[in-house]
Amino acid sequence: MNKKVSGKRPGPVVLDVVGKELTADDARRIAHPLTGGVILFARNFESRAQLVALTRAIREVRDDALICIDHEGGRVQRAKTDGFTHLPAMSRLGALWDRDVLAATKVAMACGYVLAAELRACDIDLSFTPVLDLDYGRSGVIGDRAFHADPRVVTMLANHLTHGLLLAGMANCGKHFPGHGYVEADSHVAIPVDERGLDEILSQDARPYDWMGPALASVMPAHVIYPTVDPSPAGFSRYWLQDILRTQLGFEGVIFSDDLSMEGASVAGTVTQAARAALEAGCDMVLICNHPDRADQLLNELDVSIGKASQRRIRKLFGRRKPLDWNKLQQEGEYRAALRLLKEHDLIA
């Protein structure tokens, strides 16, 4: 295994690992100076003990790598067994809001706390949550991952969820800016196009990114083209990322690209061309997932350095308090209370 790399100066690339334990090739990629983070998937999870061993092995290679995961609840949750709470899809919180606003806000905070506390107990820094897309009832890939159709409700529930995350020591990532809920196409396998005008998108889909204010720690733009605004997908558009997100909405946090191996990123060219385009547009970090050969290509070909402003923003995403080990977590009063609340509302088994 490679010698440990340290120094708290992560590079811009977030990549994945092949299986349930590190291979020599995994370790080589993680040790590369352009690597700044590792994203985990369901294939990397078998048990809590195995997951802890995997994150420990990643830290042994690179103690300044941000360890991330897509773990929202519902159908997008990478660890669901061996003690992990299978959290509800966020649309169920929106449905509860329609019946009982105060209960929904309490439950959203409890969801965030349980989600983050369990991941932090396995030394995972960040989950790419919450989804801030609006539920227009037309996007299969978003669907019940969205809280609600009303941007005001999305903002309120997302704010309470992120407060729960923060209480357990975890930052957050709003996605998919400025909004993926209106288009039917799935950017994993197609290039979605949203023909609406800028004013409509800003007055609806982008509202949560404005209203959440400094509570929003990071953002992931959509691999969606909004041709009346810009010919490039949002994640490759200086207009969307610099003029709208940074300048007009005042966002100060980290911007992650979505996975550059998705079909929605193919308009930007090769994986290296796409990474350059995303970074030049304003992304701080770029994701490359599920294709180790493309990750190697990117690490070999990318010739950028990450700026001091990006470095400062990224450091704020690391876990904020020392995680409890799993046994101590099970006895913690706040965690037990959060689980009771979720059970009372029939949101978990």
Side-chain angles (χ1 to χ4, degrees):
M1 187 167 286
N2 300 62
K3 183 179 179 181
K4 181 189 283 190
V5 178
S6 188
K8 300 298 180 188
R9 291 179 60 83
V13 177
V14 180
L15 45 75
D16 56 356
V17 297
V18 172
K20 296 178 176 64
E21 56 187 36
L22 288 193
T23 66
D25 282 336
D26 289 326
R28 172 181 52 78
R29 283 187 282 268
I30 293 168
H32 195 285
L34 285 177
T35 298
V38 177
I39 180 170
L40 302 177
F41 289 93
R43 68 171 182 272
N44 305 124
F45 174 79
E46 180 177 80
S47 67
R48 284 187 289 106
Q50 168 270 323
L51 182 59
V52 170
L54 178 59
T55 57
R56 185 181 301 121
I58 293 169
R59 301 285 187 209
E60 281 298 310
V61 177
R62 192 67 180 270
D63 67 2
D64 61 350
L66 186 74
I67 301 181
C68 316
I69 196 167
D70 261 339
H71 196 88
E72 304 166 7
R75 58 193 160 99
V76 181
Q77 180 169 334
R78 307 310 187 190
K80 303 177 183 177
T81 58
D82 198 16
F84 274 93
T85 305
H86 192 180
L87 294 163
M90 294 299 102
S91 65
R92 295 187 63 189
L93 277 63
L96 179 58
W97 172 283
D98 290 336
R99 302 191 303 272
D100 187 334
V101 168
L102 291 178
T105 57
K106 289 173 63 178
V107 162
M109 191 179 301
C111 271
Y113 191 85
V114 170
L115 186 158
E118 292 180 352
L119 292 177
R120 291 292 299 127
C122 300
D123 200 15
I124 293 171
D125 294 302
L126 177 70
S127 177
F128 290 117
T129 189
V131 170
L132 300 181
D133 300 314
L134 307 187
D135 182 10
Y136 286 95
R138 57 194 295 163
S139 172
V141 71
I142 301 300
D144 64 1
R145 297 165 65 193
F147 288 102
H148 205 272
D150 187 331
R152 296 168 298 180
V153 178
V154 170
T155 302
M156 292 296 292
L157 291 176
N159 262 332
H160 282 82
L161 182 98
T162 58
H163 188 54
L165 295 173
L166 188 60
L167 288 172
M170 182 174 284
N172 61 75
C173 182
K175 59 188 186 184
H176 306 82
F177 176 80
H180 200 313
Y182 190 80
V183 292
E184 294 182 19
D186 177 356
S187 56
H188 292 85
V189 295
I191 303 171
V193 177
D194 187 335
E195 300 281 359
R196 293 176 300 159
L198 179 63
D199 289 346
E200 182 177 354
I201 295 167
L202 291 181
S203 68
Q204 293 294 318
D205 302 63
R207 282 294 198 187
Y209 297 90
D210 182 12
W211 290 336
M212 286 188 72
L216 196 58
S218 65
V219 163
M220 180 178 287
H223 283 329
V224 175
I225 297 174
Y226 308 86
T228 66
V229 181
D230 191 287
S232 298
F236 306 107
S237 164
R238 287 188 62 86
Y239 183 78
W240 277 117
L241 301 187
Q242 299 289 345
D243 295 1
I244 300 297
L245 184 59
R246 290 275 189 224
T247 301
Q248 185 170 328
L249 303 184
F251 178 66
E252 298 285 350
V254 174
I255 302 177
F256 290 94
S257 82
D258 206 343
D259 179 11
L260 297 180
S261 71
M262 290 163 56
E263 184 61 27
S266 64
V267 295
T270 68
V271 66
T272 307
Q273 291 168 331
R276 286 196 191 106
L279 293 166
E280 288 171 2
C283 288
D284 298 287
M285 303 191 88
V286 294
L287 273 69
I288 177 66
C289 310
N290 303 312
H291 293 276
D293 56 331
R294 294 191 196 176
D296 279 329
Q297 178 186 352
L298 183 57
L299 295 176
N300 289 333
E301 295 179 355
L302 194 62
D303 53 359
V304 301
S305 59
I306 193 165
K308 290 183 179 179
S310 290
Q311 295 280 357
R312 286 194 297 270
R313 288 192 284 260
I314 292 165
R315 281 196 289 269
K316 294 178 181 178
L317 297 183
F318 284 83
R320 299 192 179 198
R321 72 174 195 183
K322 186 177 181 181
L324 298 174
D325 71 40
W326 194 271
N327 291 330
K328 289 182 179 178
L329 177 63
Q330 304 308 301
Q331 304 306 315
E332 187 197 49
E334 294 90 341
Y335 175 75
R336 293 164 67 93
L339 289 176
R340 282 197 302 273
L341 184 62
L342 294 174
K343 287 178 181 177
E344 286 171 12
H345 291 278
D346 296 320
L347 293 171
I348 61 172

